[in-house]
């Protein structure tokens, strides 16, 4: 393990964040002085960020904790273009209204992890639409485009892999790397930003920005990436059978967020404690020594700490208590995720397949049928055996709800409105 001068790189190394860096020595010297202003870009492709984005948010958190300055860059401009990295086909172009709505929905999550303000190490939020949408096409070609080699652009993984598979890449996507590189230069000029961080799939785009800065006369710029996470079983981090684990509470409830961490594989617990919590390393080392049934203590600590950081301590306590009541006491906890159904619809008889889809426990009627055949769906803790089953007011529990369950750990309450 390398001994760095800066707390920032020492923390990232100890916790397992670092994958690649363009110049460890130069970045270490900058961060040791508390002069590393760094950014991560977040495109506005959905109403919420997900756990994959949370990893880079944690890098910004530790940057700030070590006395340096983080920038969260909203991709209001680059979202109009669409990042081809890791994609087999072109992203659907989003309308300006959709981008603005997503941007507004995403903004609030950063303040849960970072401290914003006007101080030397306070975070700032910027939007690349501020400069990208104002660029003159001819000036952009002359001043920026001339520094890009088409040969190098074609060799980039995001381009090369698509072409090797004979999959179409649009001209607008081809220019995404130019936009991202220019962001780095613009941030260097505007706010003295010297470091861009991101996932390892962004390495080529980030290094393009470092090179463009050198060619356009900025101070030396730096690139730092973290590995794209997979679980011990090889699954993509943050993905479940029901989709992504979102950061916004209206997309993924604090209870479901807590449950995700509570149910990670045993082999992933220590890694995730290091990456997604701010627990001291000494406590993580203690939890890492637990084995057998005792590892559940470590999983609960992971769920508590990760949920408290994002949603607050009270939400974490409520989620933990809801889980305890549900799984240890067999009670219907009132804080389980819930959806509403009109009383008229319930009185008319609501089909069980559609209700499980509406509850988000399955993605489609077809998946619901498959789960029923495997004994995976339950209503009020009784297995569903008939896909034509309908629920009526008589199915309401004494608490006035109907409990829908998939497997042993996912539950949603159905409340008549």
């Amino acid at each position: 393990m390398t001994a760095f001068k800066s707390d920032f790189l020492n923390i990232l190394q100890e916790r397992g964040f670092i994958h690649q860096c363009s110049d460890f020595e130069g970045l270490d010297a900058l961060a040791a002085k508390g002069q590393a202003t760094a950014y991560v870009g977040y495109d506005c492709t959905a109403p919420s960020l997900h756990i994959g984005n949370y990893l880079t948010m944690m890098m910004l958190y530790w940057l700030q904790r070590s006395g340096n300055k983080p920038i969260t860059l909203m991709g209001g401009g680059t979202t109009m273009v669409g990042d081809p990295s890791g994609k087999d086909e072109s992203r659907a172009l989003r309308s300006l209204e959709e981008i603005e709505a997503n941007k507004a929905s995403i903004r609030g999550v950063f303040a849960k992890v970072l401290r914003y303000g006007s101080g030397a190490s306070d975070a700032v939020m910027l939007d690349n639409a501020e400069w990208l949408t104002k660029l003159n096409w001819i000036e952009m070609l002359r001043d920026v485009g001339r520094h890009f080699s088409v040969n190098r652009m074609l060799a980039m993984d995001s381009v090369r892999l698509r072409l090797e598979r004979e999959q179409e890449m649009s001209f607008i996507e081809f220019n995404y790397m130019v936009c991202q590189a220019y962001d780095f230069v613009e941030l260097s000029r505007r706010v003295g930003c010297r470091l861009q961080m991101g996932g390892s799939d962004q390495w080529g785009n980030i290094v393009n920005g470092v090179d463009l800065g050198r060619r356009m006369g900025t101070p030396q710029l730096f690139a730092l990436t973290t590995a794209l996470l997979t679980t011990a079983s090889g699954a993509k981090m943050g993905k479940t059978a029901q989709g992504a684990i979102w950061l916004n509470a209206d997309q993924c409830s604090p209870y479901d967020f807590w449950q995700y961490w509570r149910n990670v594989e045993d082999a992933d617990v220590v890694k995730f404690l290091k990456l997604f919590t701010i627990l001291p390393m000494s406590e993580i080392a203690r939890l890492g020594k637990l084995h057998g049934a005792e590892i559940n203590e470590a999983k609960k600590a992971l769920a508590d700490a990760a949920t408290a950081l994002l949603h607050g301590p009270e939400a974490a306590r409520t989620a933990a208590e809801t889980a305890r009541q549900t799984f240890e006491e067999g009670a219907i906890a009132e804080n389980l995720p819930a959806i509403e159904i009109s009383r008229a619809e319930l009185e008319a008889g609501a089909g069980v397949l559609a209700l499980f889809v509406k509850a988000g426990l399955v993605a489609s009627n077809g998946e619901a049928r498959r789960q029923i055949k495997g004994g995976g769906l339950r209503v009020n803790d009784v297995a569903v055996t008939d896909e034509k089953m309908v629920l009526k007011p008589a199915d309401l529990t004494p608490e006035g709800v109907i409990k829908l369950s998939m497997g042993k750990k996912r539950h949603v309450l159905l409340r008549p409105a």
Side-chain angles (χ1 to χ4, degrees), residues 15 27 70 77 94 120 135 139 156 184 198 217 249 278 311 335 365-366 368:
R15 288 183 172 263
L27 177 57
R94 286 163 172 78
L135 290 172
E139 290 178 359
M156 297 279 290
F184 204 172
I278 57 175
H311 294 295
N335 289 309
N365 286 352

Side-chain angles (χ1 to χ4, degrees), residues 224 255 274:
L224 180 65
Y255 173 78
K274 291 179 180 179

Side-chain angles (χ1 to χ4, degrees), residues 8 58 67 134 136 182 220 241 252 273 287 307 322 336 351 378:
F8 173 57
M58 291 304 298
K134 297 175 183 177
N136 177 285
Y182 183 74
Q220 182 183 359
C252 177
L273 281 166
L287 293 168
T307 306
T322 299
L336 282 172
R378 287 173 291 132

Side-chain angles (χ1 to χ4, degrees), residues 257-414:
F257 190 78
W258 190 94
Q259 278 290 331
Y260 175 79
W261 299 110
R262 171 63 181 83
N263 295 315
V264 299
E265 298 175 47
D266 293 359
D268 288 324
V269 174
V270 171
K271 177 171 69 173
F272 292 166
L273 281 166
K274 291 179 180 179
L275 295 174
F276 294 102
T277 80
I278 57 175
L279 291 177
M281 290 299 293
S282 58
E283 174 63 5
I284 293 174
R286 183 191 72 80
L287 293 168
K289 294 177 182 177
L290 301 177
H291 299 287
E294 289 184 334
I295 202 169
N296 287 321
E297 178 189 341
K299 291 185 178 183
K300 289 177 182 177
L302 169 62
D304 288 344
T307 306
L309 184 61
L310 182 66
H311 294 295
E314 183 58 34
R317 284 192 292 269
T318 299
E321 177 60 17
T322 299
R324 188 190 66 78
Q325 292 177 9
T326 303
F327 301 114
E328 295 179 14
E329 297 180 2
I332 297 180
E334 64 178 18
N335 289 309
L336 282 172
I339 60 170
E340 291 187 345
I341 182 175
S342 70
R343 188 165 290 277
E345 184 180 354
L346 191 60
E347 289 174 350
V352 70
L353 298 181
L355 289 176
F356 272 92
V357 173
K358 182 177 181 179
L361 293 171
V362 294
S364 65
N365 286 352
E367 184 184 348
R369 291 188 181 96
R370 289 191 293 274
Q371 289 288 344
I372 289 172
K373 289 179 181 178
L377 300 187
R378 287 173 291 132
V379 172
N380 293 334
D381 296 323
V382 177
V384 178
T385 57
D386 181 3
E387 67 179 52
K388 296 181 180 179
M389 176 183 180
V390 294
L391 301 184
K392 295 188 175 184
D395 295 301
L396 292 169
T397 67
E399 294 84 1
V401 297
I402 298 174
K403 181 182 175 185
L404 306 180
S405 305
M406 187 181 80
K408 296 180 179 179
K409 297 178 179 179
R410 300 202 68 225
H411 311 277
V412 173
L413 300 182
L414 191 65

Side-chain angles (χ1 to χ4, degrees), residues 137-245:
W137 174 242
I138 297 299
E139 290 178 359
M140 180 70 172
L141 288 177
R142 285 175 57 87
D143 298 340
V144 179
R146 65 189 178 91
H147 296 299
F148 283 82
S149 161
V150 171
N151 305 67
R152 283 187 60 192
M153 294 172 76
L154 289 172
M156 297 279 290
D157 284 348
S158 59
V159 177
R160 178 180 57 80
L161 295 175
R162 186 87 71 84
L163 297 180
E164 286 178 355
R165 292 191 291 261
E166 297 184 354
Q167 294 165 331
E168 184 175 301
M169 170 171 278
S170 68
F171 179 70
I172 189 171
E173 288 180 289
F174 191 60
N175 280 274
Y176 186 93
M177 67 181 78
V178 179
C179 295
Q180 184 171 338
Y182 183 74
D183 280 345
F184 204 172
V185 172
E186 188 70 20
L187 287 170
S188 175
R189 291 173 171 174
R190 288 183 178 227
V191 292
C193 182
R194 302 282 300 278
L195 169 64
Q196 182 181 173
M197 301 188 293
S200 57
D201 61 333
Q202 293 297 312
W203 175 253
N205 288 346
I206 297 174
V207 170
N208 272 338
V210 172
D211 184 63
L212 182 63
R214 179 181 60 81
R215 294 173 183 272
M216 296 186 71
T218 70
Q220 182 183 359
L221 304 181
F222 301 92
L224 180 65
T225 62
T226 188
L228 296 180
L229 281 185
T230 57
T231 64
S233 63
K236 188 173 181 180
M237 174 68 185
K239 294 289 186 179
T240 70
Q242 287 69 48
I245 302 299

